[in-house]
Amino acid sequence: MTDLPERTTRYFEDYQPGLTVDCGSFSISEAEIIAFAKDYDPQPFHIDPVGSAEGPYGGLIASGWQTTSLTMRLLVEHFLDEQTSLGAAGVDEIRWPRPVRPGDTLRVHAVVLDVRRSRSKPDRGIVRSEIKVTSADGETVMTLKAINFVRARHLEG
Amino acid sequence: MTDLPERTTRYFEDYQPGLTVDCGSFSISEAEIIAFAKDYDPQPFHIDPVGSAEGPYGGLIASGWQTTSLTMRLLVEHFLDEQTSLGAAGVDEIRWPRPVRPGDTLRVHAVVLDVRRSRSKPDRGIVRSEIKVTSADGETVMTLKAINFVRARHLEG
């Protein structure tokens, strides 16, 4: 037993177009930017805090793949549901309109765009959502369109 | 001095439509799948080797974001160029048609789709590429369309 409000399981039928979920925020440090990029995206403007000052971004910026990965963590915790999430078919239109820099705190929102029942597997549906990530001063640093499979509560919509 | 052939710097002008680059391969272990997913995508089918057997994929599968991140590493090493890569505007159409499982070895190819000179910054161009990741038995496990900024050798195309 806990005092925390327990979230109700969110099924396919609960992802209605327009549903908007505030998924909270995360921060990113210089050390985290460098560590991630050394493993996955070792370009100078992601791993070299000194040399990057003369580079195309005038300093160190986070790999876009780090922003997507850290955003995913918040989507798993707040938007998807461990009882009903069946994975993703893919992602459309990732955009990184502004760089993410050391010390940034980023907020994640998810908005359901459209939904449809699976034709081949009637126990589930496909949920398309727009994910928006904004900096503390309100600038959009990433948008993407997620395509998720979600288990339905009932076989019939 | 080294015996290894040194690659010539690849500028915007060198990314011609149809250029195909074999970026090599990477393998992925169960421990790596779980470690990545615990940080970024802690869904049961990514982190629970026992429970996932009863889950939607009949076993553990890698987070799609791990596949993109490991693929990026090979793109940085073989397709992009540290002298000319100026970052990415975004990515279109990531698709994960088949799951990636522990022990898989995946091969990465990049094909240039189209290129255009930047209108606002004539020292660079935009290169759109299709990235294809295949398993050892030739199945496609991921495709994506990358959109990269690349420094030009000359101001005029």
Side-chain angles (χ1 to χ4, degrees):
Chain A
M1 297 291 286
T2 168
D3 285 344
L4 291 172
E6 208 162 322
R7 206 182 77 185
T8 311
T9 300
R10 193 179 274 152
Y11 288 91
F12 170 65
E13 292 87 340
D14 303 314
Y15 290 90
Q16 292 294 320
L19 171 71
T20 302
V21 177
D22 180 343
C23 299
S25 62
F26 63 88
S27 295
I28 191 163
S29 70
E30 179 177 290
E32 288 166 334
I33 288 174
I34 295 170
F36 185 96
K38 280 189 171 171
D39 282 344
Y40 302 114
D41 193 351
Q43 301 193 76
F45 42 80
H46 296 319
I47 59 170
D48 180 357
V50 178
S52 63
E54 306 298 316
Y57 296 98
L60 206 67
I61 67 169
S63 169
W65 300 113
Q66 185 169 24
T67 308
T68 56
S69 296
L70 289 165
T71 296
M72 185 66 197
R73 168 106 206 179
L74 293 185
L75 295 176
V76 170
E77 290 173 353
H78 299 279
F79 183 62
L80 301 174
D81 193 302
E82 135 169 0
Q83 304 299 319
T84 64
S85 168
L86 297 170
V91 170
D92 279 341
E93 291 182 30
I94 303 179
R95 292 293 178 272
W96 296 299
R98 282 173 176 269
V100 172
R101 296 184 186 273
D104 277 358
T105 296
L106 304 176
R107 184 160 282 275
V108 177
H109 286 88
V111 182
V112 176
L113 296 175
D114 49 65
V115 299
R116 69 173 177 83
R117 181 73 62 152
S118 168
R119 281 180 284 265
S120 57
K121 298 180 178 169
D123 67 340
R124 66 194 62 184
I126 294 118
V127 177
R128 282 206 331 128
S129 312
E130 176 160 64
I131 314 303
K132 195 166 180 178
V133 181
T134 47
S135 65
D137 54 5
E139 303 276 9
T140 300
V141 300
M142 183 171 81
T143 58
L144 64 83
K145 293 193 171 70
I147 309 163
N148 288 92
F149 298 119
V150 181
R151 194 185 304 284
R153 186 180 282 112
H154 306 293
L155 274 182
E156 291 296 306
Chain B
M1 296 292 286
T2 168
D3 285 344
L4 291 171
E6 208 163 321
R7 205 181 79 187
T8 313
T9 300
R10 192 180 274 150
Y11 288 91
F12 170 66
E13 291 88 340
D14 303 314
Y15 290 91
Q16 291 295 320
L19 171 70
T20 302
V21 177
D22 180 344
C23 299
S25 63
F26 63 87
S27 296
I28 190 163
S29 70
E30 179 177 290
E32 288 166 334
I33 288 174
I34 294 170
F36 185 96
K38 280 189 171 171
D39 282 343
Y40 302 114
D41 191 352
Q43 301 193 76
F45 43 80
H46 297 320
I47 60 170
D48 180 357
V50 177
S52 62
E54 307 297 317
Y57 296 98
L60 206 67
I61 67 168
S63 169
W65 300 113
Q66 185 170 23
T67 309
T68 55
S69 295
L70 289 165
T71 296
M72 185 65 198
R73 169 107 205 175
L74 293 186
L75 295 176
V76 169
E77 290 174 353
H78 298 280
F79 183 61
L80 300 175
D81 193 303
E82 136 170 357
Q83 303 299 319
T84 64
S85 169
L86 297 169
V91 170
D92 278 341
E93 291 182 30
I94 303 180
R95 292 294 178 271
W96 296 299
R98 284 173 174 268
V100 172
R101 297 183 186 274
D104 277 357
T105 296
L106 304 176
R107 183 160 283 275
V108 177
H109 285 88
V111 181
V112 176
L113 296 175
D114 49 64
V115 300
R116 69 172 177 83
R117 182 73 62 151
S118 168
R119 280 180 285 267
S120 57
K121 297 180 179 171
D123 66 339
R124 67 195 60 186
I126 295 117
V127 176
R128 282 206 331 128
S129 312
E130 176 160 63
I131 314 301
K132 196 165 180 178
V133 181
T134 47
S135 66
D137 54 5
E139 302 277 9
T140 300
V141 300
M142 183 171 82
T143 57
L144 64 82
K145 292 192 172 71
I147 309 163
N148 288 91
F149 298 119
V150 181
R151 193 184 304 283
R153 185 181 281 111
H154 306 293
L155 274 182
E156 291 296 307

